[in-house]
Amino acid sequence: MHSNDAQMLVLTVLAEGPRHGYAINTAIEELTGGKLGPGSLYGALSRLEARGLIGPADEPAGPKERHRTMQITDAGRDRLRTELQQMARISAAGLRALGSGPA
């Protein structure tokens, strides 16, 4: 899986609400039938946070909090919407070319 694919999956599941890493991967598995490896998941989380597309949830974390809960930012929602719209156009064009979609 390409790193951009992993990032899109993370943004997609975080659009449903804040989650920590294990819950993100569980939601990805429910969506796709497969999990991301730890390097792919945490790499995607790091890149998305560095770009301001996700950030820590506003939930207070105790001093022994082990799981860091993340949420999508407004910029992340905008990026996800743009990417999904582009993917939809590409998908429709590909399906038309294959004779499997509306003309």
Side-chain angles (χ1 to χ4, degrees), residues 20-39:
H20 57 77
Y22 180 81
I24 291 169
N25 220 4
T26 299
I28 288 171
E29 183 178 23
E30 290 171 4
L31 181 65
T32 67
K35 288 185 178 185
L36 297 177

Side-chain angles (χ1 to χ4, degrees), residues 3-47:
S3 67
N4 284 339
D5 296 338
Q7 292 176 55
M8 287 297 297
L9 290 170
V10 169
L11 287 174
T12 298
V13 301
L14 286 179
E16 297 174 348
R19 300 174 194 256
H20 57 77
Y22 180 81
I24 291 169
N25 220 4
T26 299
I28 288 171
E29 183 178 23
E30 290 171 4
L31 181 65
T32 67
K35 288 185 178 185
L36 297 177
S40 295
L41 175 61
Y42 291 102
L45 289 170
S46 293
R47 286 187 294 279

Side-chain angles (χ1 to χ4, degrees), residues 24-99:
I24 291 169
N25 220 4
T26 299
I28 288 171
E29 183 178 23
E30 290 171 4
L31 181 65
T32 67
K35 288 185 178 185
L36 297 177
S40 295
L41 175 61
Y42 291 102
L45 289 170
S46 293
R47 286 187 294 279
L48 290 168
E49 187 173 14
R51 292 169 47 209
L53 302 178
I54 66 171
D58 294 332
E59 302 169 5
K64 294 184 179 182
E65 180 62 38
R66 193 171 154 208
H67 301 289
R68 190 166 173 222
T69 301
M70 303 300 286
Q71 65 186 4
I72 193 169
T73 63
D74 289 342
R77 287 185 183 283
D78 291 344
R79 173 63 58 92
L80 178 60
R81 184 176 295 108
T82 299
E83 293 290 331
L84 291 174
Q85 289 169 340
Q86 181 180 8
M87 289 169 63
R89 286 191 302 274
I90 293 168
S91 177
L95 288 170
R96 276 192 309 274
L98 292 170

